[in-house]
Amino acid sequence: MVGQHGINYAVCLISTHFGDVVAKVCECLIRHGSLSFLEVVRFTELPQGQVKNSLLVLIQHNCVQAFSVPKTVGMGGITKPVTLYMILFDNIIHRMRFSKFCLIVKEHLGHQSAEFLEGFLQHGRLTFELLFDRAAGLTEGKATRNDVLAKFNELVHAQYVERCPKGEPFLEPKSDEEVSSIRKRIKSSGDTRTIEQEAIIAAAPLDADRFSGIISLTLNTEEVMKDVNNTLETSAGSKRKHEVLEADEDIQNAINTTEVLWRVNYEKFVRCLKKKACVANVRSRLGLDAAIVLEAMIDANDHQNIAMNSVTLSMNSIIEGVRGKPGGISLTLERVRAILKQLGSELCPEESGALYTIGLKGIIENCQNDEVESLVLHKYGKEAYRIFRMLILADRLIAMDQISDNTFLEKKEAQKILCKLWKDDYVEMEKVNLNAGVRAEVFLWKVNKKFLWEHVLNDIFHTALNISKKISQVTEECQVLKSDEEKDKRLKRARRILESALLKMDDAIMLFHDF
Amino acid sequence: MAFRGRGRGRGRGRGRGGSFEFRMAKHEPFILFPEDVKLPNVSAFENIPPEDKTLAIGKIKFERFWKSSPYYLEDSRGQNAEVEYYAEKLKRKGQEPQYFGTYMKLNVSHFPAELIQGQRRGQVASKKLRWDTKRDDLSLFEQLEEKDKDGDGKEDKEKEKEKKGEDDEEAEEDLEKEEAESSEDDYIQNEYFDDDEDDFNIDEQPDEDYY
């Protein structure tokens, strides 16, 4: 769940990209949850045509997923399917990062693949035909079909592009028996799924299809379809069977190129950015070599789990991966072993050899701690930073006296700082009355990480929102004041700084929200 | 009586525990630009690494694309809607207005049926699809200024554009007519929009649960 400012930030993004009408529909869906079409019309008070168009645009750009559920209507108990629309909040926030995605693909697969990815990002979803049209249009007819197919398959096999989910999956209602057995399971595992999560699972394409590229192209899809119709009409007997089978393959190819929609696989890019963040953090803490080892491990790992919380590899694969990296050839086995120990890897002995596991969660937590500590340092000063760091490392309630002893601060000063932090919700306080003859009140302080992380994330969203609004204000001013050169220069400078600040804010959002 | 006592006890009990205490808020005047905020030096932020520059340029490029793309839906209802509509029309002269559905596959396997019922479908020739939508960021006055400055050069370019647009002129007129019609429908629907008596959408369920 995201706080208020997160919602406002998402709505501001949609408004900049698609206009106020679409933003209104989007806000309605975020605030009210999954709604049916008529409910959206009622809440937004917009004409039906506009709501329809807005929903189409949002679905096209993967910000909304539709699904249908049965609903009992009327007295007779007839169930009719009703279509609900749910917002995909993370995909909206991803829109700020599209240029980062392009950079990742450019570094990995080259400039042309990045151009194709741009097409997918600009239009949300494309068929292969539309992709080829676009390539031909932008290069003025120089792109060939086979070239485009090769690059496209490259993108799909690297999992940057995936097949689109179903437009409107139907969620079967669970029967009573199933529900009671599920409830028993839930009590033991504590893993309830909301209807929205069920919808996403139901809509997702089969694993086999998701990253299956296009094998071959039919040169002329129209002719193929005509031929197919002819053969089907006149087919009889076993001789025709062979032609019909061939026609089937052609139909399949034709469908693959003109009807199947493809879109960007956000999960893959989040993993890439997570890898970048982890490697950067390790590089700053433990040096270049450790960064090389970690990067090699993450690359070699198969990413079977979506969350990518840890990487597990045997020593041989690690060495192989390290040797492949620039600067990794000079690392000896002993050095790699020492680095793995430094990274806190766990050793799981296996039959074929020892497996080393590194938990990425720990590294991410490290990054998050660094971020919040630097925030406290800049906002409240060095002493507050000392106290805060002590509380975060201890991770439990600590008494006032202990704090002032450990941080070499006077009690009054420490109390003042802690009160300030408490008012801004950075620390939590508990009062304990010691009734041991002398009535003494002891204050205990603690950092509640879960709550604090949410609070910090909300603040980051707020900052990003403010920067976005400032950028649009500066852009408007720029357009109006084109004559005054000095002011124009100053505004352009301001815009450059604001944009780079917004990119860094976006990194921070990823750290607390997506990783 | 006992009730009052219990209430007081509860109030005292609430004294411990984090930030849920009730405190009297100090009324302070709201200062828009407080004097005691130390702003850091701007020059510290001016050395933007080239990678960040490319990222920022990429982001701006995306935003410009969407703003000038058919996905950017304008509000047809606003007070200045007519003025805005004609201003936009003048800006777009020489470029065909595009319907966003031309880039989308509006069929049942990708979109819910209720959304595509009213939408225009059908094959669109690939030459009509414009992939690098670039609307001029210059305002109308500047466009006219530039026209005067360049004179012949610009006129020739516009004539070329118009020739290209001739093939699609009929389609353009159709699109405009349809757009006007659909907006009229919206107005009409709005006027007669009544939850109970919905004459326009007969296939809808009569008994909807309203929450």
Side-chain angles (χ1 to χ4, degrees):
Chain A
M1 273 323 293
V2 201
Q4 194 63 319
H5 292 297
I7 298 177
N8 291 341
Y9 175 65
V11 171
C12 175
L13 254 180
I14 295 287
S15 166
T16 326
H17 293 177
F18 300 126
D20 291 324
V21 176
V22 183
K24 207 166 178 191
V25 170
C26 182
E27 186 170 3
C28 171
L29 284 172
I30 296 181
R31 290 196 192 277
H32 296 274
S34 308
L35 296 173
S36 72
F37 175 69
L38 291 171
E39 286 171 335
V40 176
V41 171
R42 192 158 30 97
F43 282 123
T44 54
E45 294 169 5
L46 288 168
Q48 284 203 3
Q50 285 193 351
V51 175
K52 265 191 195 170
N53 288 343
S54 309
L55 285 170
L56 283 170
V57 169
L58 285 170
I59 293 178
Q60 170 73 5
H61 288 267
N62 308 305
C63 298
V64 158
Q65 172 71 45
F67 60 99
S68 56
V69 285
K71 190 174 166 193
T72 40
V73 166
M75 304 290 279
I78 330 158
T79 48
K80 253 190 140 182
V82 74
T83 312
L84 297 178
Y85 299 91
M86 65 178 267
I87 204 89
L88 301 169
F89 186 80
D90 289 343
N91 291 359
I92 300 180
I93 304 293
H94 285 315
R95 300 187 70 78
M96 186 55 86
R97 304 170 189 141
F98 283 176
S99 52
K100 294 184 188 171
F101 296 172
C102 284
L103 189 65
I104 292 175
V105 170
K106 194 168 169 186
E107 285 170 352
H108 186 197
L109 295 174
H111 183 70
Q112 217 184 7
S113 301
E115 282 274 327
F116 290 160
L117 192 85
E118 215 181 273
F120 283 111
L121 292 169
Q122 282 174 345
H123 292 272
R125 306 173 166 195
L126 288 174
T127 61
F128 177 77
E129 278 301 314
L130 288 170
L131 181 70
F132 172 67
D133 271 343
R134 179 176 181 271
L138 289 177
T139 56
E140 286 159 14
K142 285 187 209 154
T144 62
R145 259 186 125 86
N146 286 324
D147 272 348
V148 176
L149 179 67
K151 289 286 172 187
F152 171 76
N153 276 332
E154 231 178 43
L155 280 170
V156 173
H157 289 316
Q159 299 193 351
Y160 291 124
V161 167
E162 66 175 1
R163 215 178 259 239
C164 283
K166 286 182 228 156
E168 195 185 347
F170 182 72
L171 298 179
E172 291 287 342
K174 293 198 181 73
S175 65
D176 281 334
E177 292 169 8
E178 281 183 39
V179 169
S180 59
S181 69
I182 286 172
R183 270 202 209 120
K184 284 184 201 158
R185 252 187 288 142
I186 286 169
K187 277 188 184 166
S188 53
S189 65
D191 189 24
T192 42
R193 280 210 291 248
T194 60
I195 198 165
E196 280 88 12
Q197 285 164 323
E198 301 259 338
I200 293 183
I201 295 171
L206 299 167
D207 280 338
D209 287 336
R210 197 172 166 204
F211 299 113
S212 66
I214 295 177
I215 307 168
S216 64
L217 286 174
T218 42
L219 287 168
N220 201 337
T221 45
E222 284 175 36
E223 266 188 40
V224 164
M225 297 307 279
K226 267 192 239 159
D227 281 343
V228 156
N229 286 334
N230 288 340
T231 44
L232 286 174
E233 276 170 45
T234 58
S235 69
S238 54
K239 265 194 188 172
R240 297 285 185 187
K241 242 195 198 173
H242 177 66
E243 285 180 27
V244 169
L245 280 174
E246 270 191 12
D248 274 344
E249 234 185 80
D250 283 336
I251 301 175
Q252 195 57 45
N253 280 335
I255 294 176
N256 272 345
T257 51
T258 54
E259 291 301 317
V260 175
L261 280 176
W262 303 84
R263 68 168 192 182
V264 164
N265 178 15
Y266 295 113
E267 285 164 4
K268 168 76 179 180
F269 285 109
V270 169
R271 283 201 297 252
C272 288
L273 289 169
K274 186 171 179 179
K275 175 186 92 171
K276 265 190 180 174
C278 289
V279 167
N281 178 271
V282 163
R283 190 181 298 133
S284 64
R285 269 191 307 132
L286 302 172
L288 206 58
D289 295 338
I292 294 175
V293 170
L294 183 67
E295 202 178 340
M297 281 187 81
I298 298 179
D299 281 337
N301 205 43
D302 222 4
H303 300 313
Q304 271 150 2
N305 56 337
I306 298 172
M308 200 172 87
N309 276 329
S310 61
V311 279
T312 310
L313 284 173
S314 68
M315 188 45 118
N316 287 332
S317 349
I318 299 177
I319 295 291
E320 238 184 86
V322 168
R323 293 270 185 266
K325 292 276 165 197
I329 304 174
S330 52
L331 293 176
T332 59
L333 186 65
E334 277 312 308
R335 178 88 181 105
V336 172
R337 228 175 252 168
I339 288 175
L340 285 169
K341 211 174 177 183
Q342 249 185 332
L343 286 167
S345 75
E346 287 167 19
L347 206 64
C348 350
E350 282 265 317
E351 284 172 7
S352 48
L355 287 178
Y356 293 87
T357 311
I358 295 186
L360 293 176
K361 223 174 177 181
I363 302 179
I364 292 292
E365 250 193 68
N366 236 305
C367 295
Q368 290 171 338
N369 283 355
D370 285 342
E371 193 73 35
V372 180
E373 282 164 13
S374 86
L375 200 68
V376 169
L377 174 62
H378 283 108
K379 206 168 169 186
Y380 301 102
K382 259 200 302 202
E383 287 83 29
Y385 168 69
R386 279 214 295 266
I387 296 177
F388 185 78
R389 198 168 152 77
M390 185 202 150
L391 285 172
I392 245 191
L393 288 172
D395 201 21
R396 58 185 172 82
L397 286 164
I398 300 188
M400 190 69 194
D401 297 330
Q402 225 179 336
I403 293 176
S404 56
D405 285 338
N406 284 6
T407 54
F408 308 115
L409 285 171
E410 280 188 28
K411 199 171 174 185
K412 267 195 180 166
E413 232 186 285
Q415 202 164 35
K416 240 198 302 180
I417 293 174
L418 281 166
C419 270
K420 241 197 299 181
L421 288 172
W422 178 55
K423 269 194 208 153
D424 290 335
D425 286 332
Y426 276 82
V427 294
E428 278 185 356
M429 190 260 289
E430 265 196 42
K431 235 191 306 190
V432 172
N433 289 327
L434 296 175
N435 288 328
V438 183
R439 225 153 176 264
E441 271 184 357
V442 178
F443 289 93
L444 299 169
W445 304 90
K446 167 184 174 151
V447 167
N448 184 346
K449 255 195 185 172
K450 197 168 157 224
F451 176 74
L452 178 60
W453 267 208
E454 278 174 23
H455 177 68
V456 165
L457 180 62
N458 207 24
D459 277 346
I460 296 176
F461 273 129
H462 194 180
T463 320
L465 177 65
N466 288 346
I467 300 179
S468 309
K469 286 195 174 157
K470 184 72 186 169
I471 289 176
S472 50
Q473 185 214 6
V474 165
T475 327
E476 266 181 48
E477 260 190 72
C478 247
Q479 282 185 345
V480 168
L481 299 167
K482 279 230 161 158
S483 50
D484 190 354
E485 266 204 48
E486 213 190 281
K487 209 164 187 190
D488 192 46
K489 230 170 148 185
R490 191 169 61 80
L491 286 169
K492 283 213 168 94
R493 212 178 85 193
R495 178 151 191 204
R496 273 201 295 270
I497 297 176
L498 286 168
E499 292 280 4
S500 83
L502 188 56
L503 284 168
K504 299 220 164 57
M505 274 286 114
D506 187 57
D507 285 335
I509 292 175
M510 286 212 89
L511 188 59
F512 284 93
H513 182 74
D514 295 288
F515 291 164
Chain B
M1 306 280 200
F3 182 73
R4 257 189 282 141
R6 247 184 282 150
R8 257 187 283 135
R10 240 185 282 140
R12 246 187 284 134
R14 243 190 292 158
R16 51 184 302 225
S19 19
F20 299 98
E21 263 188 356
F22 290 117
R23 300 166 259 168
M24 282 306 295
K26 212 167 103 183
H27 287 275
E28 281 178 14
F30 181 74
I31 314 168
L32 199 57
F33 295 108
E35 295 292 320
D36 60 346
V37 175
K38 252 189 303 174
L39 293 173
N41 200 355
V42 180
S43 51
F45 300 106
E46 283 203 287
N47 296 330
I48 306 169
E51 197 182 273
D52 282 2
K53 269 194 191 147
T54 24
L55 287 175
I57 291 172
K59 173 187 167 263
I60 296 173
K61 206 171 141 195
F62 274 116
E63 283 177 359
R64 280 213 186 122
F65 172 84
W66 284 314
K67 193 123 195 208
S68 59
S69 76
Y71 300 117
Y72 194 91
L73 300 180
E74 313 268 356
D75 190 1
S76 59
R77 281 193 315 172
Q79 270 180 346
N80 303 318
E82 275 198 40
V83 176
E84 279 175 20
Y85 177 66
Y86 285 110
E88 283 294 310
K89 240 180 126 177
L90 284 168
K91 259 196 211 174
R92 273 189 272 154
K93 210 165 192 184
Q95 300 174 344
E96 315 96 64
Q98 292 259 307
Y99 168 59
F100 65 81
T102 47
Y103 298 96
M104 291 161 46
K105 285 278 163 192
L106 290 172
N107 50 30
V108 192
S109 53
H110 302 121
F111 294 96
E114 65 183 5
L115 291 182
I116 39 182
Q117 265 165 15
Q119 301 297 333
R120 290 162 259 166
R121 286 195 256 180
Q123 296 295 333
V124 181
S126 55
K127 65 174 181 177
K128 283 190 190 163
L129 299 174
R130 220 168 4 103
W131 294 102
D132 58 344
T133 49
K134 272 193 198 132
R135 219 182 253 172
D136 292 317
D137 282 327
L138 310 169
S139 72
L140 184 60
F141 294 113
E142 261 131 15
Q143 272 184 323
L144 294 172
E145 266 181 47
E146 277 210 342
K147 262 195 204 171
D148 289 326
K149 271 190 208 168
D150 296 332
D152 299 317
K154 264 259 170 174
E155 275 179 30
D156 285 338
K157 272 191 193 169
E158 280 201 21
K159 277 188 189 159
E160 271 184 54
K161 271 192 185 167
E162 276 184 41
K163 275 190 191 156
K164 268 192 207 167
E166 260 176 26
D167 308 332
D168 309 313
E169 230 182 77
E170 281 185 22
E172 187 183 324
E173 283 181 22
D174 284 337
L175 277 174
E176 280 188 32
K177 272 193 205 156
E178 281 198 62
E179 273 183 31
E181 276 177 23
S182 64
S183 59
E184 271 183 304
D185 278 337
D186 291 340
Y187 280 118
I188 295 175
Q189 277 190 5
N190 216 17
E191 258 184 84
Y192 294 110
F193 190 72
D194 191 359
D195 290 333
D196 298 322
E197 302 156 46
D198 214 349
D199 293 326
F200 284 92
N201 304 306
I202 309 167
D203 52 333
E204 276 173 18
Q205 308 154 21
D207 305 314
E208 271 281 343
D209 293 333
Y210 294 113
Y211 298 102

